[in-house]
Amino acid sequence: MPLVRIDVIEHRRTSEQLRELADAVQDVMLETFAAPARDRYQIITEHRPGLIIAEDTGLGYTRSEDVVVVQILQQGRDEAQKQAVYRALAERLRERTGLDPQDLIVAVSANTRADWSFGEGQAQFLEGRL
């Protein structure tokens, strides 16, 4: 059950384009991270111009105002799966949204089953409900 945050510059995409971006990310979560169907937790945040500062880390990338930052909080994926998700996101977002791969930043972080509550103040994983 990855929790995905997608950060973009406001007014660069329509609501439909944002949904296509989110759908493409979800498809990669299902295919590459083997997330269960209907296991979709995404937060899309639009920021005023100038409030996403994304330099190139010395790699020579030229970022545009179309930059997309994807943060994935997950558990149990190995390095090979993480590398696969980076590649798949770059490819899928280019195909479906036209995003230049230099405008994509992805960060994957891990947590444990004890770190989740899906509602009602319960720890469903720890209580054996999931």
Side-chain angles (χ1 to χ4, degrees), residues 6 14-27 40 42 44 92-93 95-98:
I6 303 169
T14 65
S15 294
E16 294 79 18
Q17 290 169 324
L18 287 171
R19 182 60 188 229
E20 183 64 26
L21 178 73
D23 289 349
V25 170
Q26 179 65 10
D27 288 348
R40 185 172 186 165
Q42 296 177 317
I44 301 170
R92 190 69 51 90
L93 291 173
E95 290 169 7
R96 290 181 55 180
T97 72

Side-chain angles (χ1 to χ4, degrees), residues 31-49:
E31 296 165 13
T32 308
F33 271 4
R38 294 193 37 85
D39 193 21
R40 185 172 186 165
Y41 299 94
Q42 296 177 317
I43 302 165
I44 301 170
T45 305
E46 293 184 283
H47 303 272
R48 290 191 323 264

Side-chain angles (χ1 to χ4, degrees), residues 101-121:
Q102 289 189 13
D103 276 330
L104 175 64
I105 300 167
V106 181
V108 177
S109 301
N111 67 1
T112 69
R113 295 170 72 84
D115 298 318
W116 291 93
S117 171
F118 295 95
E120 300 179 352

Side-chain angles (χ1 to χ4, degrees), residues 1 15 24-25 29 36-37 42-44 48 57 63 66-67 70 72 88 94 104 108 111 113 122 126:
M1 84 287 346
S15 294
V25 170
M29 293 300 99
Q42 296 177 317
I43 302 165
I44 301 170
R48 290 191 323 264
T57 315
R63 306 235 194 253
D66 289 331
V67 68
V70 177
I72 305 166
R94 173 179 257 169
L104 175 64
V108 177
N111 67 1
R113 295 170 72 84
Q122 304 294 313
L126 297 180

